[in-house]
């Protein structure tokens, strides 16, 4: 049975799509058949970060409307064998997603033997975001360590507990995970940013990962490669740790402390 995981947030620009790409890639690298679905109808950024924008012929809405089948719309990643992408439509609005249509796609993906279905949600609580979380078994709530971002994530937690299929049917609640992105220990120490402990105290859900603020993320996005493939970068390593924890492995959290400067860095103030 496929695990359906929504990557969600209350605020835009916190790194949801970057995280969806990295986590789905990490799962596939470990041998799990994984598909990542772009629910951001009308914008469509996932295919850019995955580097497959030129290969999009059919999309999520085409499948729902019966204009194409899943085999026609799914894009197989060239770098990771078990990874597939289902892109969003750029020419439709978010109302093009219907609950029955999304359910059929998810059921068909399960039948095709996928182990993980990662739903890359739009930000906020509009229809596309609500559709992305409705069928989820688990949610990765993505937030920056800033008050406005954390506050909006708290609102998402309320929606997860009340507007999902699991809530409607009285089933076990969606399993919630916290993913903290763009974390800078230096800014925390200066008081410019919330600490990990501050965010955990506000949201009160288990911490899955802490992704450091890193130029590697922007570089990977511009290159059309999930940053987890950059195994030498701090962000790539942090996402690999996140995937391992998602699979039940215990890993120490890294990149939480300000790095000690060497002699020449202190001497020249850099």
């Amino acid at each position: 049975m496929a695990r359906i995981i929504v990557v969600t947030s209350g605020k835009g620009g916190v790194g949801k799509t970057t995280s969806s790409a990295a986590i789905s890639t990490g799962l596939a690298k470990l041998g799990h058949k994984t598909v990542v679905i772009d629910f951001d109808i009308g914008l469509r950024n996932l295919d850019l970060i995955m580097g497959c924008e030129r290969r999009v012929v059919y999309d999520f809405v085409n499948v729902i409307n019966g204009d194409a089948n899943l085999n026609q719309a799914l894009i197989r990643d060239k770098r990771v064998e078990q990874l597939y992408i289902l892109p969003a439509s750029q020419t439709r609005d978010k109302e093009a997603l219907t609950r029955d249509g999304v359910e059929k796609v998810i059921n068909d993906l399960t039948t095709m033997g996928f182990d993980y279905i990662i739903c890359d949600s739009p930000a906020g609580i509009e229809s596309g975001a609500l559709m992305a979380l409705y069928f989820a078994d688990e949610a990765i709530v993505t937030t920056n360590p800033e008050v406005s971002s954390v506050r909006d994530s708290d609102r998402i937690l309320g929606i997860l507990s009340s507007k999902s299929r699991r809530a409607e049917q009285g089933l076990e609640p969606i399993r919630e995970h916290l993913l903290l992105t763009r974390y800078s220990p230096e800014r925390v120490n200066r008081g410019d940013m919330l600490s990990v402990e501050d965010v955990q105290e506000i949201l009160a859900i288990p911490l899955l990962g802490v992704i450091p603020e890193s130029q590697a993320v922007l570089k990977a996005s511009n290159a059309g490669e999930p940053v987890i493939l950059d195994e030498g970068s701090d962000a790539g390593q942090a996402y690999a740790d996140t995937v391992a924890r998602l699979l039940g492995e215990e890993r120490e959290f890294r990149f939480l402390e300000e790095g000690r400067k060497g002699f020449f860095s202190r001497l020249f103030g850099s």
Side-chain angles (χ1 to χ4, degrees), residues 219 221 250:
K219 180 181 177 183
S221 296
E250 289 190 14

Side-chain angles (χ1 to χ4, degrees), residues 186-202:
E186 294 85 355
R187 293 177 64 191
V188 171
N189 291 338
R190 292 200 305 264
D192 298 335
M193 181 177 280
L194 298 175
S195 68
V196 172
E197 293 76 17
D198 292 333
V199 178
Q200 284 185 286
E201 185 176 349
I202 296 168

Side-chain angles (χ1 to χ4, degrees), residues 6-12 14 16 121-134 136 138-143 148-164 167 174-178 202-203 205:
V6 62
V7 181
T8 183
S9 76
K11 186 179 179 183
V14 300
K16 277 187 316 303
S121 170
I125 56 172
E126 44 78 27
S127 60
L130 295 177
M131 199 67 71
L133 68 81
Y134 182 76
E138 303 179 48
I140 298 175
V141 179
T142 310
T143 185
S148 61
S149 181
V150 174
R151 179 194 61 200
D152 290 346
S153 292
D154 202 22
R155 188 178 185 192
I156 288 294
L157 291 175
I159 292 170
L160 286 168
S161 65
S162 61
K163 292 197 173 184
S164 67
I174 290 177
R175 188 179 174 195
E176 298 160 342
H177 310 276
L178 172 61
I202 296 168
L203 297 181
I205 59 175

Side-chain angles (χ1 to χ4, degrees), residues 30 41 78 131 136 153 155 158 165 207:
L30 294 173
I41 308 300
K78 291 181 177 180
M131 199 67 71
S153 292
R155 188 178 185 192
R165 178 172 61 174
L207 183 64

Side-chain angles (χ1 to χ4, degrees), residues 27-153:
L27 289 167
K29 278 183 66 181
L30 294 173
H32 303 283
K33 190 176 181 182
T34 303
V35 59
V36 55
I37 307 174
D38 190 349
F39 274 80
D40 204 352
I41 308 300
L43 291 178
R44 200 174 85 188
N45 290 318
L46 179 66
D47 56 308
L48 293 172
I49 289 179
M50 301 294 288
C52 63
E53 69 275 10
R54 293 185 182 135
R55 298 170 61 199
V56 177
V57 178
Y58 295 109
D59 56 51
F60 194 7
V61 174
N62 290 140
V63 177
I64 288 176
N65 290 342
D67 302 324
N69 61 43
L70 268 174
N71 283 322
Q72 291 175 291
L74 285 172
I75 300 172
R76 187 169 184 169
D77 190 84
K78 291 181 177 180
R79 297 155 299 211
V80 183
E81 184 178 352
Q82 295 278 54
L83 180 60
Y84 296 79
I85 302 98
L86 182 56
S89 170
Q90 283 185 308
T91 59
R92 310 295 181 93
D93 60 37
K94 292 174 174 57
E95 304 305 322
L97 295 181
T98 65
R99 187 171 290 183
D100 288 345
V102 173
E103 182 173 25
K104 183 178 187 308
V105 169
I106 288 176
N107 288 343
D108 288 347
L109 289 169
T110 301
T111 302
M112 292 169 70
F114 281 95
D115 301 311
Y116 288 90
I117 300 172
I118 308 298
C119 303
D120 180 26
S121 170
I125 56 172
E126 44 78 27
S127 60
L130 295 177
M131 199 67 71
L133 68 81
Y134 182 76
F135 296 98
D137 301 313
E138 303 179 48
I140 298 175
V141 179
T142 310
T143 185
N144 294 156
E146 301 166 355
V147 171
S148 61
S149 181
V150 174
R151 179 194 61 200
D152 290 346
S153 292

